[in-house]
Amino acid sequence: MKQQELDPARTSAPVDPVDERLPLGRLGALGLQHVLVMYAGAIAVPLIVGRALQLSPEQVTMLISADLFCCGLVTLIQSLGMTRYFGIRLPVMMGVTFAAVGPMVAIANGLPGVDGARAIFGAGIGAGVLALLLAPAMSRMLRFFPPVVTGTIILVIGITLMRVGVGWAMGGPDSAARAVDVPTLVTMVDQLKADAAASAAPLAAKLPGPIPTLANPNYGALDNLAIATFVLLFIVFTVRYARGFLCNISVLLGIVAGCAVAYSMGKMNFAKVAGAKWFELVTPFAFGTPTFDIVMILTLTVVMIVVMIESAGMFLALSEMTGTKVDQQKLAAGLRTDGLGTLIGGIFNTFPHTSFSQNVGLVAVTGVKSRWVCVAGGVIMIVLGMLPKLAALVEAIPQFVLGGAGLVMFGMVAAAGIRILNRVDFRTNRFNLYIVALSIGFGLIPLVAPHWAQQMAHSLHPLLESGILLTAVAAVVLNVFFNGSGTKEAEGQEEGHLSHA
């Protein structure tokens, strides 16, 4: 009898951690944790583009609601899966990409108002369709990503994200990203016109000095840094001494504790929550029928190629963290979802979407590999998109509170890259040292010199300002140059996955 009772247990297959379905309460808490980590980045793009388009506050609010709704919808497609053609079925949160901000602001400056919004949405729809067609070709590059390449890319992803975390902890943008002092700039231009009229000379092509900017007075404020440090220490102590579920939601607990401290110090308020609506339905084409311009579409398509290369690196990072192999078919399904998300974004009045790298760090910190956590996060984002009052409540969280959590998470991404590089053969193959060294060097150029490409064509900036893209291109090219490509690299990738599993 006992033998019969044991046999079913022996024959039942263990559940893959990626497919594990946690209790509903835990899913909600872990999903909310993912949402809080990405929320600031998710609403930043519609705020920037909405202001560049000179839209009314009500229209900007509409952009934010549409953005949150689409983030949730595309996250469900990516994590849950939709047929075998869409969704990588890993713990991935989707959000609006910052890589498209430059081209979209350029469109807004040339065509402000609702017409500019319709042009941006049309360009997104066109770029999304082209990205869908390009995704299978992009996925065929998987054999060019052995551990020496993926480890380097993941390391640079973590280092690049640290800049985001430090910016959050400091309470705003640094001196290299200050806001433009518009009144002073207008005065300078008027003076140039007056001087040209007085001397009967042609108007100068350049300003007499650098563009005037406004410093951020709260940048690096000691009280903000103290709260960020408190959040960081809270997470570290929770990870060290807590057990089980409490350890898994250490980041969420740290953010809540940081919010309590910020509120007690008068640095957090809920004024926007009181003024927000309870319900707002997100409808397609709310700004009217999109307009299509081939140049704008091709510009955003270039951005989408950059985005898909970065997404491939993030998918490989998650593959390493979860022990789940990503083959060409799964990679193509994940990259197609980037294109589909951009297409859906254009239909629902928002912008190009990509996999959010911030949330990769959260997977590393918590150790929770279940994709159903991100499915729960996607549902929460959809609810936030239709309930502006709840969205405003989440928005009230100060950036410096998120900064303490960001330093932990993004450092964990870099550590995951180091762990992958640890199994690369540096002893008998000295070429691998050059691959890693030069690729990291190229990836750090935009980080240490943000304006290094200012003398180059503006159309190249989306390519040159992405440290992750520069690292990926350099690592792949150098690996092919030194080690070649083909079966050996594919076998090395396979061995890496097996050893991790």
Side-chain angles (χ1 to χ4, degrees):
M1 179 66 72
K2 290 183 178 179
Q3 183 66 31
Q4 291 177 350
E5 291 175 355
L6 291 174
D7 284 343
R10 289 182 178 180
T11 57
S12 61
V15 178
D16 192 311
V18 169
D19 297 321
E20 182 183 5
R21 300 195 184 191
L22 303 173
L24 190 60
R26 292 190 176 189
L27 278 180
L30 292 167
L32 177 61
Q33 188 171 235
H34 271 282
V35 170
L36 294 181
V37 166
M38 67 169 293
Y39 191 86
I43 67 171
V45 174
L47 283 173
I48 294 170
V49 178
R51 289 169 181 170
L53 286 167
Q54 302 174 25
L55 299 177
S56 66
E58 292 76 15
Q59 290 171 322
V60 173
T61 301
M62 188 187 303
L63 288 181
I64 294 173
S65 296
D67 176 34
L68 296 174
F69 177 83
C70 287
C71 286
L73 182 59
V74 183
T75 296
L76 290 181
I77 297 173
Q78 188 71 280
S79 297
L80 189 60
M82 188 179 71
T83 75
R84 65 189 182 93
Y85 298 105
F86 296 98
I88 198 165
R89 292 177 169 84
L90 288 175
V92 177
M93 294 293 291
M94 300 290 290
V96 175
T97 174
F98 277 87
V101 169
M104 290 190 298
V105 169
I107 295 172
N109 290 337
L111 191 64
V114 174
D115 290 340
R118 291 163 55 213
I120 291 174
F121 301 147
I125 292 172
V129 172
L130 292 178
L132 281 169
L133 299 176
L134 290 171
M138 301 286 291
S139 68
R140 294 191 181 96
M141 298 190 305
L142 187 61
R143 68 190 182 96
F144 295 107
F145 288 82
V148 67
V149 174
T150 58
T152 305
I153 294 172
I154 295 167
L155 174 58
V156 172
I157 289 174
I159 294 173
T160 302
L161 286 173
M162 287 299 289
R163 177 172 59 179
V164 177
V166 171
W168 286 350
M170 295 294 176
D174 62 14
S175 58
R178 292 176 179 174
V180 175
D181 184 355
V182 177
T184 304
L185 179 61
V186 171
T187 301
M188 292 175 67
V189 174
D190 290 343
Q191 185 62 45
L192 277 177
K193 293 179 179 179
D195 293 342
S199 59
L203 187 65
K206 292 185 177 181
L207 294 173
I211 294 178
T213 58
L214 293 172
N216 180 359
N218 295 320
Y219 183 76
L222 295 182
D223 50 355
N224 294 347
L225 286 176
I227 296 175
T229 304
F230 167 77
V231 173
L232 187 151
L233 294 176
F234 190 97
I235 294 172
V236 170
F237 276 88
T238 302
V239 170
R240 174 64 179 84
Y241 294 108
R243 294 291 181 269
F245 180 61
L246 289 179
C247 185
N248 291 338
I249 60 169
S250 58
V251 173
L252 175 60
L253 295 176
I255 291 173
V256 172
C259 288
V261 174
Y263 181 76
S264 67
M265 296 173 62
K267 302 181 74 65
M268 181 179 178
N269 64 77
F270 303 99
K272 291 184 178 180
V273 179
K277 298 178 182 177
W278 275 107
F279 180 79
E280 186 173 27
L281 189 64
V282 178
T283 57
F285 306 124
F287 287 78
T289 304
T291 57
F292 300 93
D293 181 273
I294 187 63
V295 175
M296 296 179 186
I297 291 173
L298 292 177
T299 300
L300 285 191
T301 301
V302 173
V303 172
M304 288 305 300
I305 293 173
V306 175
V307 163
M308 287 192 288
I309 293 175
E310 293 182 350
S311 292
M314 294 168 202
F315 295 152
L316 293 173
L318 283 170
S319 171
E320 296 288 341
M321 292 177 185
T322 61
T324 302
K325 182 181 177 182
V326 172
D327 56 19
Q328 181 178 326
Q329 181 179 336
K330 291 190 72 172
L331 184 59
L335 297 179
R336 279 195 199 95
T337 308
D338 279 3
L340 180 63
T342 300
L343 171 61
I344 292 174
I347 294 173
F348 281 94
N349 325 301
T350 187
F351 312 112
H353 281 66
T354 186
S355 310
F356 251 43
S357 51
Q358 290 95 317
N359 296 81
V360 176
L362 192 56
V363 174
V365 171
T366 63
V368 178
K369 304 172 183 178
S370 173
R371 61 191 173 100
W372 292 96
V373 170
C374 289
V375 171
V379 173
I380 293 172
M381 294 290 282
I382 291 175
V383 172
L384 290 176
M386 294 188 293
L387 298 177
K389 195 172 284 289
L390 288 181
L393 179 62
V394 178
E395 185 187 1
I397 299 174
Q399 279 194 343
F400 49 81
V401 171
L402 296 173
L407 294 177
V408 179
M409 294 183 301
F410 305 153
M412 288 293 288
V413 176
I418 294 172
R419 184 179 63 184
I420 297 169
L421 291 175
N422 189 48
R423 65 171 183 260
V424 173
D425 179 16
F426 292 110
R427 182 180 301 176
T428 61
N429 185 350
R430 63 188 180 90
F431 296 142
N432 286 334
L433 288 171
Y434 289 92
I435 295 171
V436 175
L438 292 174
S439 300
I440 292 176
F442 278 107
L444 291 180
I445 290 175
L447 193 65
V448 300
H451 306 297
W452 79 284
Q454 63 182 7
Q455 303 295 335
M456 304 181 193
H458 188 75
S459 58
L460 297 176
H461 284 199
L463 305 174
L464 301 174
E465 292 175 357
S466 170
I468 300 171
L469 175 67
L470 293 178
T471 298
V473 172
V476 168
V477 171
L478 289 169
N479 182 64
V480 171
F481 175 73
F482 284 119
N483 296 328
S485 63
T487 57
K488 289 185 178 180
E489 280 63 36
E491 290 170 0
Q493 181 81 1
E494 178 69 17
E495 290 172 2
H497 285 292
L498 289 175
S499 65
H500 179 79

